[in-house]
Amino acid sequence: MTAIDNVSLAQRVYTVEQVQQGEEAAAEACSISMMQLMSAAGTAVFKQLQNDLKAPAKIAVCCGEGNNGGDGYIIARLAREAGYQVDVFALSPDKTLSSKTDNNAERARLAWRENGGQEKVVHDCAPQNYDLIVDALFGVGLNRALEGTAAELVQNLNDASAKVLAVDVPSGLNADTGSVPGVAVHAYKTVCLVAYKRGLLTGKAKNHVGQLVLEDLGIGEAFAKQNNAGYTRMAAEHVMNWLPLRRPCEHKGNNGHALIVGGQPGMSGAVVLAMKAALRCGAGKVSVACHPEVQPVVAAAQPEAMVRAANSQNDLQALMEQASVIALGPGLGQSEWSHKMFEWVTNYCQQSDKTLVIDADGLNTLSSQQSKMKRGKHVILTPHPGEAARLLNTDANKVESDRFAALSALRDTYEAQILLKGAGSLVTNDSGQFILDVGSPAMASGGMGDLLTGLISGLAAQGMTEADAAVAAGVWHARAGELAGNEGERGTLASDLLPYIRQLVNGKIT
């Protein structure tokens, strides 16, 4: 089992509630007051601003009424003192404040005013007049759509393609789910404070956060000790050594046998991609059981694989008995042949407890069954949002509105290892819960899921647990997509990822 305990703060991911309820106790443990913590937040964001833009650049700071706005006033004051040209736009610029206030955000605002600072109405903010906009409107507590003046301002920023630096979370984004119920800021950078909030790393959030930077404000270690992270953030560097070095006396029999089942007429490419991925990640032997009509085509695609025509349970039986891992679904289709193959494979795997990876039309067939049969720990399901919706009898928008809730529902329903694909793929398995913080829009093309199925199967065949195989394959697959996408996001093919997958599983690149 690969060690995933004792990870750094940069890998620990929390809910909004955990951060809101835990930061004060962590600050107290570090002998830091909440006003000092707010000052640290403003200072940390200002330093990020300085890294990206030099004085005397023109900056607009847009401030709300809460603590996020308080951070904004501190940023504005520091920027002006450093020689930047600063304008502050407030949702309520004429608000009366008392010098006796014990509200930290109001105290930060008073300090801005006492230093000669003024506030303008947000309607007057013309994004084109500024080199950078600081978004300090709403913090992580917002869980509804922006309305009124705030929504208009954010829409204006987006329409102007303004360069926006977001404080903790882009306003309008739900930091707990990653959903965007209305309009949300498109930031070039988001400075996440104290600890990573889970919604910033998945789903629609990927369109809004830009570069995500963590600033723990000096309380991160104490916070991590006091709060258990619900998710672990995984990237390529975290799985680099999950496959051991091979010994000089290795032979193919030591490295497992993956069987790929699928490939009905007209869909042979899917099973070919899965087959190639299983081979390129190091499986000792790879077999394919496909429809008799496509067997010659699949066999010609890769001479190292063993390709058999399967039209009966007897055709499959010997192959299934020889295999270490079975993958079901690439190019399987929804024909009578497809349903028979599904029944034979799933029945055999349930009786034998053999590792089974189900994807694509295998998932669609599973979702159509009257009984949502529990699949167990030896089964890995890899749905995209549409397939997840069918598995849960809902719709894809519902899944995407809260990917974490959908992941939990899939786990509860099927009791399997689940990899929910998408921007910031999510995994729940016997080892824990993970966010795969890697990937590229270059992967928005056909065949990518088939490649992932083959990769999971090949890793599991080599002895990885089902839990580890889902995480490692998800990360390496997405990282290979990033690397292939460097040559051009448009036009990247699934097969373009294969050379990078080979390098990644050998630890030659990260």
Side-chain angles (χ1 to χ4, degrees):
M1 177 65 201
T2 302
I4 55 172
D5 297 325
N6 302 316
V7 297
S8 68
L9 180 67
Q11 277 189 266
R12 297 173 184 266
V13 184
Y14 298 87
T15 64
V16 166
E17 183 180 23
Q18 283 181 296
V19 178
Q20 288 178 320
Q21 294 185 356
E23 63 182 4
E24 186 169 359
E28 183 178 348
C30 298
S31 300
I32 297 173
S33 71
M34 293 307 289
M35 187 66 228
Q36 289 173 323
L37 190 68
M38 181 174 286
S39 295
T43 300
V45 177
F46 173 63
K47 287 181 178 178
Q48 289 290 331
L49 185 156
Q50 279 187 305
N51 291 339
D52 298 342
L53 192 67
K54 303 303 179 185
K58 295 188 68 175
I59 297 170
V61 183
C62 300
C63 295
E65 295 298 300
N67 288 338
N68 202 247
D71 298 338
Y73 286 108
I74 293 170
I75 295 163
R77 179 169 52 80
L78 293 172
R80 194 172 65 171
E81 291 172 356
Y84 291 87
Q85 303 173 69
V86 182
D87 287 327
V88 169
F89 296 90
L91 293 178
S92 56
D94 300 323
K95 183 176 181 179
T96 301
L97 302 176
S98 169
S99 59
K100 297 180 180 180
T101 182
D102 59 359
N103 181 290
N104 290 331
E106 290 185 354
R107 291 167 66 187
R109 192 170 184 176
L110 276 171
W112 163 252
R113 290 181 179 180
E114 289 169 356
N115 280 271
Q118 298 180 338
E119 299 149 42
K120 302 178 180 181
V121 296
V122 294
H123 285 303
D124 292 342
C125 181
Q128 65 274 13
N129 293 338
Y130 298 93
D131 299 302
L132 183 144
I133 313 286
V134 175
D135 167 27
L137 290 170
F138 293 95
V140 295
L142 186 76
N143 56 13
R144 56 177 172 78
L146 293 179
E147 299 174 343
T149 302
E152 292 176 18
L153 172 61
V154 170
Q155 190 62 60
N156 288 339
L157 295 178
N158 292 346
D159 290 344
S161 298
K163 185 176 183 179
V164 180
L165 175 63
V167 180
D168 211 13
V169 57
S171 293
L173 171 68
N174 186 316
D176 224 19
T177 66
S179 64
V180 180
V183 64
V185 164
H186 288 282
Y188 81 93
K189 179 186 283 187
T190 299
V191 184
C192 185
L193 304 174
V194 180
Y196 280 125
K197 292 83 180 175
R198 65 184 194 175
L200 300 181
L201 295 164
T202 192
K204 293 293 189 293
K206 292 289 189 176
N207 289 336
H208 295 270
V209 298
Q211 179 188 359
L212 189 59
V213 177
L214 177 64
E215 294 282 359
D216 75 354
L217 311 184
I219 67 169
E221 185 176 344
F223 181 86
K225 285 181 179 178
Q226 295 172 359
N227 298 274
N228 294 323
Y231 279 80
T232 302
R233 173 180 162 269
M234 302 297 290
E237 63 268 24
H238 303 133
V239 299
M240 186 173 180
N241 298 312
W242 279 25
L243 279 174
L245 292 174
R246 289 191 172 180
R247 296 167 298 177
C249 59
E250 289 282 358
H251 58 83
K252 65 184 179 182
N254 295 143
N255 291 292
H257 184 174
L259 170 63
I260 316 293
V261 181
Q264 76 163 12
M267 303 174 73
S268 58
V271 78
V272 167
L273 287 167
M275 169 185 73
K276 289 187 174 185
L279 285 165
R280 285 300 185 186
C281 76
K285 294 186 284 186
V286 177
S287 295
V288 174
C290 59
H291 194 282
E293 290 184 25
V294 304
Q295 190 273 340
V297 175
V298 177
Q302 193 72 48
E304 293 85 355
M306 298 168 284
V307 183
R308 303 285 187 268
N311 212 18
S312 69
Q313 189 166 1
N314 286 337
D315 293 338
L316 268 180
Q317 191 66 28
L319 286 171
M320 291 192 294
E321 290 174 357
Q322 294 167 14
S324 315
V325 177
I326 302 174
L328 175 65
L332 184 66
Q334 289 290 305
S335 65
E336 182 180 353
W337 174 85
S338 311
H339 289 285
K340 287 181 179 178
M341 299 294 280
F342 179 91
E343 180 183 353
W344 295 331
V345 171
T346 54
N347 286 344
Y348 172 79
C349 287
Q350 282 192 307
Q351 293 167 10
S352 67
D353 271 345
K354 192 159 287 189
T355 298
L356 173 63
V357 185
I358 306 180
D359 185 38
D361 275 320
L363 295 172
N364 293 329
T365 302
L366 177 61
S367 68
S368 68
Q369 293 184 337
Q370 292 293 321
S371 163
K372 301 297 188 192
M373 190 177 297
K374 304 289 186 182
R375 292 296 167 184
K377 67 179 183 179
H378 295 301
V379 177
I380 304 170
L381 307 182
T382 62
H384 59 55
E387 292 160 344
R390 288 188 282 277
L391 289 167
L392 296 172
N393 292 323
T394 184
D395 61 76
N397 288 333
K398 178 75 170 176
V399 170
E400 286 292 84
S401 70
D402 192 339
R403 288 167 55 80
F404 299 96
L407 186 74
S408 295
L410 288 166
R411 176 77 165 173
D412 290 344
T413 302
Y414 295 95
E415 296 182 355
Q417 322 289 326
I418 310 292
L419 194 165
L420 178 58
K421 295 182 286 195
S425 292
L426 304 179
V427 178
T428 181
N429 58 35
D430 291 347
S431 296
Q433 299 184 113
F434 306 87
I435 302 179
L436 311 187
D437 191 21
V438 61
S440 167
M443 301 173 73
S445 63
M448 292 291 177
D450 304 309
L451 212 64
L452 177 61
T453 299
L455 183 52
I456 295 173
S457 307
L459 295 179
Q462 292 174 76
M464 272 195 181
T465 65
E466 292 90 350
D468 281 4
V471 173
V475 171
W476 281 327
H477 176 253
R479 179 57 179 150
E482 288 181 342
L483 294 167
N486 287 337
E487 299 178 34
E489 290 178 350
R490 287 185 173 87
T492 297
L493 305 179
S495 55
D496 294 335
L497 276 60
L498 289 166
Y500 297 107
I501 287 172
R502 184 182 181 189
Q503 292 184 64
L504 285 162
V505 298
N506 282 289
K508 293 184 178 297
I509 53 175
T510 56

